[in-house]
Structure formats: C-alpha cells, structure tokens
Amino acid sequence: MSSPEIASLSWGQMKVKGCSTTYKDCKVWPGGSRTWDWRETGTNHSPGVQPADLEEVVKKGVKTVVIGRGMSEALQVPPSTVDYLKKNGIDVLVLQTEKAVEEYNALAARGVRVGGVFHSTC
C-alpha cells in the first residue's frame, strides 16, 4: 500500500489524491488520510506537535514522518516529539508546510513508506 500524493495545498486547504475531503490540517499514511483535529490531543502552536499527534501515523508502519509546521512555521515541534519518532526507528523531517508537502510527495513517489502531519495555515 503506497502513501497517497498530496494533490494540492493552499492557505487553509489541502487535498489528498483519491480523497474527496478538503482538509485544513491533515494526517497521511500509506493507504489513507484524515483530518488532523488538534482538539483530540490538546495541541496548540506552542508547545506544538505532541507524540500523541503522531501515534496513529506511526502505527501504520511508516519509515519516515514529515511534519509541516505551517506556512509561516508558527507550529512548534519540541525535541521530545522528534525523540519519540527516532526511538521508534523513524526518520523525521520538520519543514515549512509547502516544503514539507514537496518532500513528502517526492518520498511517496519513490515508494517510501512515508506519513505526515501538515498544518496548512500560519
């Protein structure tokens, strides 16, 4: 099962190939995607992305996780979150969201088991 391509990204909107939903923030993994609802884990711009935000993606057997910090990189990623991924043997890339989507799509196109979480506004 391959990771789905992110078909489009603009401020506040993301589309994943093969999915009719338009996301504001989304999670993607080999074979699927869904809305990334920050309220599920109490996530805010600071301290930012928590390990709990990534557990679902990690459980899908990804080898790499790409984190999109927002268009202006307002979303923080604490060292504890990066450590959580590395301890699970997962490579992690933390980038501005447009760059993150480019990198994610390139990895997906090469057949890498890649997942990600992407913030499409600030």
Side-chain angles (χ1 to χ4, degrees):
M1 205 171 307
S2 60
S3 298
E5 176 188 346
I6 296 174
S8 66
L9 167 68
S10 60
W11 183 274
Q13 295 189 344
M14 297 183 72
K15 296 283 289 175
V16 174
K17 193 171 185 178
C19 179
S20 60
T21 304
T22 298
Y23 301 114
K24 176 177 168 269
D25 299 319
C26 75
K27 296 182 178 190
V28 291
W29 58 82
S33 65
R34 77 170 182 94
T35 294
W36 177 19
D37 183 350
W38 292 14
R39 291 172 295 193
E40 292 173 359
T41 57
T43 294
N44 286 298
H45 287 101
S46 181
V49 183
Q50 304 301 302
D53 293 310
L54 299 166
E55 284 174 359
E56 177 179 18
V57 175
V58 168
K59 287 178 182 171
K60 304 293 183 180
V62 297
K63 300 294 177 216
T64 303
V65 167
V66 181
I67 300 173
R69 293 188 50 210
M71 300 302 213
S72 304
E73 298 185 84
L75 180 61
Q76 301 301 301
V77 181
S80 59
T81 299
V82 173
D83 291 345
Y84 162 75
L85 292 167
K86 289 184 176 177
K87 284 179 182 159
N88 280 283
I90 297 169
D91 294 328
V92 59
L93 298 166
V94 178
L95 301 163
Q96 185 269 354
T97 296
E98 289 162 310
K99 291 182 175 87
V101 167
E102 283 177 27
E103 197 62 38
Y104 167 87
N105 280 341
L107 290 165
R110 292 202 320 258
V112 174
R113 288 189 61 81
V114 61
V117 293
F118 301 95
H119 179 42
S120 74
T121 58
C122 48

